[in-house]
Amino acid sequence: MATINDVATKAGVSTATVSRALNGKSTVDPNLVSRVLDAAAELGYQPNGPARNLRRQETAVLALIISDVENPFFTSIARGVEDVAHAVGYSVVLCNSDENPDKERRYIDVAIQERVAGVVLSTTGASTNVDLLTDRGMPMVAVDRPLPDVAADNDTVLVDTRQAAKEATAHLITQGYHHVGCVTGPAGIRTADDRLAGYRDALRAARRKYSAKLVRRTEYRSDGAHQATVDLLSQDERPDALLVANSTMAIGVLAALTELGLKSGKDVGVVAFDDAPWAPLVNPPLSVVSQPAYEIGTVAAQLLLDRITDGTRVPTTTTLSATLIPRGSSTKH
Amino acid sequence: MATINDVATKAGVSTATVSRALNGKSTVDPNLVSRVLDAAAELGYQPNGPARNLRRQETAVLALIISDVENPFFTSIARGVEDVAHAVGYSVVLCNSDENPDKERRYIDVAIQERVAGVVLSTTGASTNVDLLTDRGMPMVAVDRPLPDVAADNDTVLVDTRQAAKEATAHLITQGYHHVGCVTGPAGIRTADDRLAGYRDALRAARRKYSAKLVRRTEYRSDGAHQATVDLLSQDERPDALLVANSTMAIGVLAALTELGLKSGKDVGVVAFDDAPWAPLVNPPLSVVSQPAYEIGTVAAQLLLDRITDGTRVPTTTTLSATLIPRGSSTKH
DNA sequence: ATGAAAGCGCTAACAC
DNA sequence: GTGTTAGCGCTTTCAT
């Protein structure tokens, strides 16, 4: 593969001149510039990234570590990050941690080793090595889920998911459901905990008693939620409505209801987090809590880029709000 | 950030020994090994990837260039690629070309510049620079869509989408629909063309006449399909069934039917490509052509890794088959 | 404005 | 088994 040396020889100039011409740095004689450009084109020259990065001690790539590429919420974040990054010449590498602390750890190592310019991280929260990042002053921003307190003191972009969960639950209560239950993610995952907390807030505000029997916690996955729903509804004390913590889970919940011969809305009120594209299509249409995922991505990317250029700026926490979109699945008729 | 030099000094050995100890190459005295490991741990040493890659002239990262991160079909492919790659210590960077030739071109450049070990590409097909890849012998495999003939002669993993489209259309005809229409992607995108071809095959086999009035081609997006559906159904000669080319489009089609007060299955038979997780949930459940997306990914990754280790192996084309899953949306009652 | 040369951090010959 | 050293391809002083 052609190197800068080949180009220099072909153009009859020094490598320094080639470098300058190609990067538009300092001033180079226009004649030489075009000679260099021609030579480069003829040789099909493509700069060697690793060499350049090694020398410059910097890269124009951001790492985005998320927990599930198959979840539309995270892919929307990804798009937001990408759009902002690309606009200023950065590339984004997407790393899928699969809600698995080991994979997350591994990707953090990769990010450090590849000396990426910064990372956007949605942490699983459990015993990871985020401190590796913070310790060496790697620019980074946490999204969707804050870092464990130890690390703290970094830019963060969150959604006020607790408040949203409270509103969604209150909505179900207002709609006349008497025993609202909750299907949320594993303990320790911040969003899962917050949604549960918001759910409890609403019960308290409405003077309903909280019962652990109406709550299930499982992986943020369809099948876990499916099982949990069957389980919840086969008890004596069964819920007549459910707050569901994300759209992947909602699929499992709705499938379970259908199997059990129950109609969402009429028999069991349902509100789920995340406005998946299919939510309006099911029958009845699914009521959702819509999170500004794309915006999370754009804001995070912007913060990250800012921090890369100015490492001293004081860390901020941005909290975006979610909106309840009531549809048929939260009305009895 | 600590370098190999710091570790060497701290451990009282040469950098070569550190390198050997850390990489498990050749044999190093066990005592020295542990001294090195301790020193490295104490310093929080993380190897410098670019430096290593520059020296080794190789990287353990694969690039996966797909056209839509938000499409479950592609994210399943991504998972397949990832799982195989990770098992052997490779990282995967996901690049979203957004069905945009410019972005695709740009990502191909990035892949070359970063000297990735290989690339898995689902090309938009239009005037791209894939030849840059093939010209310099970059290991690569095309998925979902073959490369333009010029480039050719590389590993390819496809789905027999034409055959599947034919079967799906035949199924609709068998179910008693008389005027089957088709909503597919833009001309030039191979999968879109093939699905249309399969549709025509089926019409021919059933001795139905083909009418351009029953066909619409739009972006592989929900809103395009929405518009197309409204358009198709507001003609005099209107279809009573539709073959839809992917699940993103299916969302638009189903939304349009609902708006028009039409019931899928009963009023308009529908079969869509890709078994999205929500497909069984809509009412009636959506009949689909299920493509083995995850398997496309695993096969492609395996082929790519093979080729990386043995550049001389003769290129193969693997064609996987899709399966029709009939559900309620393709029955009149 | 241009060239010579040093050096980023690492690995792999090559010596010993 | 270990150390010395050259050099991967590039950018960037430092001269001129």
Side-chain angles (χ1 to χ4, degrees):
Chain A
M1 205 169 290
T3 75
I4 200 173
N5 253 299
D6 302 327
V7 179
T9 309
K10 183 138 198 157
V13 297
S14 74
T15 60
T17 300
V18 174
S19 174
R20 286 190 276 249
L22 259 27
N23 292 295
K25 299 284 186 184
S26 107
T27 48
V28 186
D29 184 290
N31 289 330
L32 291 191
V33 173
S34 64
R35 251 162 62 197
V36 168
L37 259 33
D38 289 350
E42 238 170 288
L43 293 167
Y45 171 75
Q46 289 271 21
N48 181 313
R52 163 180 290 173
N53 298 337
L54 174 58
R55 174 63 226 226
R56 285 198 183 153
Q57 300 287 64
E58 68 181 33
T59 28
V61 359
L62 307 181
L64 170 58
I65 305 178
I66 58 180
S67 57
D68 185 5
V69 255
E70 300 193 274
N71 182 334
F73 172 69
F74 289 113
T75 52
S76 288
I77 292 182
R79 286 210 154 229
V81 172
E82 266 197 328
D83 288 351
V84 170
H86 285 172
V88 296
Y90 277 72
S91 301
V92 176
V93 312
L94 233 172
C95 310
N96 181 27
S97 75
D98 218 6
E99 211 72 89
N100 173 341
D102 285 339
K103 277 197 177 184
E104 179 177 327
R105 238 189 307 272
R106 170 168 171 182
Y107 274 120
I108 289 176
D109 280 343
V110 171
I112 294 174
Q113 290 176 17
E114 295 304 322
R115 304 295 196 261
V116 299
V119 2
V120 177
L121 173 67
S122 172
T123 183
T124 67
S127 66
T128 64
N129 52 356
V130 278
D131 43 333
L132 285 189
L133 253 21
T134 46
D135 285 357
R136 54 195 83 208
M138 170 82 85
M140 79 139 194
V141 12
V143 290
D144 185 45
R145 309 169 182 180
L147 258 32
D149 296 334
V150 267
D153 213 43
N154 58 281
D155 288 305
T156 304
V157 183
L158 304 173
V159 170
D160 190 350
T161 197
R162 178 170 181 167
Q163 174 62 23
K166 181 179 175 185
E167 282 170 24
T169 307
H171 165 71
L172 284 167
I173 292 173
T174 305
Q175 294 292 308
Y177 297 99
H178 299 296
H179 305 284
V180 181
C182 179
V183 179
T184 189
I189 293 185
R190 183 61 171 269
T191 48
D193 292 342
D194 281 355
R195 284 161 205 184
L196 179 58
Y199 161 79
R200 298 188 68 162
D201 291 345
L203 292 185
R204 199 174 308 117
R207 310 206 186 289
R208 302 281 173 90
K209 74 174 205 316
Y210 164 83
S211 162
K213 288 196 179 153
L214 297 184
V215 172
R216 287 294 179 284
R217 309 196 67 154
T218 79
E219 296 290 287
Y220 263 140
R221 305 205 153 280
S222 170
D223 42 1
H226 187 131
Q227 179 57 47
T229 305
V230 171
D231 196 34
L232 275 170
L233 292 170
S234 53
Q235 310 174 103
D236 289 339
E237 185 186 342
R238 50 191 269 181
D240 62 355
L242 291 172
L243 175 67
V244 183
N246 84 3
S247 68
T248 313
M249 285 181 147
I251 289 174
V253 170
L254 295 179
L257 291 181
T258 303
E259 275 173 31
L260 296 169
L262 297 170
K263 191 92 184 153
S264 71
K266 182 166 159 292
D267 302 316
V268 181
V270 179
V271 176
F273 269 75
D274 299 338
D275 193 18
W278 52 265
L281 296 179
V282 296
N283 186 264
L286 182 64
S287 299
V288 299
V289 173
S290 172
Q291 298 194 84
Y294 181 85
E295 194 184 352
I296 294 176
T298 57
V299 171
Q302 200 51 66
L303 284 170
L304 187 57
L305 292 169
D306 284 357
R307 176 153 303 282
I308 288 168
T309 52
D310 174 12
T312 67
R313 183 174 56 64
V314 34
T316 61
T317 293
T318 308
T319 304
L320 303 172
S321 53
T323 37
L324 176 68
I325 304 182
R327 295 199 266 244
S329 71
S330 55
T331 336
K332 293 201 167 190
H333 31 251
Chain B
M1 206 168 291
T3 74
I4 200 173
N5 254 298
D6 302 327
V7 179
T9 309
K10 183 138 199 160
V13 297
S14 74
T15 60
T17 300
V18 173
S19 174
R20 286 190 277 248
L22 260 27
N23 292 295
K25 300 284 186 184
S26 109
T27 48
V28 186
D29 184 290
N31 289 329
L32 290 193
V33 173
S34 65
R35 250 162 63 197
V36 168
L37 259 32
D38 288 350
E42 239 172 288
L43 293 167
Y45 171 76
Q46 290 270 22
N48 182 313
R52 164 181 288 172
N53 298 337
L54 174 57
R55 175 61 227 227
R56 285 199 184 151
Q57 299 286 63
E58 67 181 34
T59 26
V61 357
L62 306 180
L64 169 59
I65 305 177
I66 56 180
S67 57
D68 185 5
V69 255
E70 299 194 276
N71 182 336
F73 172 69
F74 289 113
T75 53
S76 287
I77 292 181
R79 288 211 154 227
V81 172
E82 266 197 329
D83 288 350
V84 170
H86 285 171
V88 295
Y90 277 72
S91 302
V92 177
V93 311
L94 233 172
C95 310
N96 181 26
S97 75
D98 218 6
E99 211 71 89
N100 174 342
D102 284 339
K103 278 197 176 185
E104 179 176 329
R105 238 189 308 271
R106 169 166 171 183
Y107 274 120
I108 288 175
D109 279 343
V110 171
I112 294 174
Q113 290 177 18
E114 295 302 324
R115 305 295 196 260
V116 300
V119 0
V120 177
L121 172 68
S122 172
T123 183
T124 67
S127 65
T128 63
N129 51 355
V130 277
D131 42 334
L132 285 188
L133 252 21
T134 47
D135 285 357
R136 55 194 83 210
M138 170 83 85
M140 80 140 194
V141 12
V143 290
D144 185 46
R145 309 167 183 183
L147 257 32
D149 297 332
V150 266
D153 212 42
N154 58 280
D155 289 304
T156 304
V157 183
L158 304 174
V159 170
D160 191 349
T161 198
R162 179 168 179 168
Q163 174 62 23
K166 181 179 174 186
E167 283 170 24
T169 307
H171 165 71
L172 285 166
I173 291 173
T174 306
Q175 294 292 308
Y177 296 99
H178 299 296
H179 305 284
V180 181
C182 178
V183 179
T184 188
I189 293 186
R190 183 62 172 268
T191 48
D193 292 343
D194 281 355
R195 286 161 203 182
L196 180 58
Y199 161 81
R200 299 188 67 162
D201 291 344
L203 292 185
R204 199 173 307 115
R207 309 206 186 291
R208 301 280 173 91
K209 76 174 205 316
Y210 165 83
S211 161
K213 287 197 180 152
L214 297 184
V215 173
R216 287 295 179 284
R217 310 195 67 155
T218 79
E219 295 290 287
Y220 261 141
R221 306 206 153 279
S222 171
D223 43 0
H226 187 132
Q227 179 57 48
T229 305
V230 171
D231 196 35
L232 274 170
L233 292 170
S234 54
Q235 308 173 105
D236 290 339
E237 184 186 341
R238 51 190 267 179
D240 63 355
L242 290 171
L243 175 68
V244 183
N246 84 4
S247 68
T248 313
M249 284 180 146
I251 290 174
V253 170
L254 295 179
L257 291 181
T258 303
E259 274 172 33
L260 295 169
L262 298 170
K263 191 90 183 154
S264 71
K266 182 167 159 292
D267 301 316
V268 181
V270 179
V271 176
F273 269 76
D274 298 338
D275 192 17
W278 52 265
L281 296 178
V282 295
N283 188 264
L286 183 64
S287 300
V288 298
V289 173
S290 173
Q291 299 194 82
Y294 181 84
E295 194 183 352
I296 294 176
T298 57
V299 172
Q302 200 51 66
L303 285 170
L304 187 57
L305 292 169
D306 285 357
R307 175 154 303 282
I308 287 168
T309 52
D310 174 13
T312 67
R313 184 173 55 64
V314 34
T316 62
T317 293
T318 308
T319 304
L320 304 172
S321 54
T323 38
L324 176 67
I325 303 182
R327 294 197 267 245
S329 72
S330 54
T331 337
K332 291 199 167 192
H333 31 253

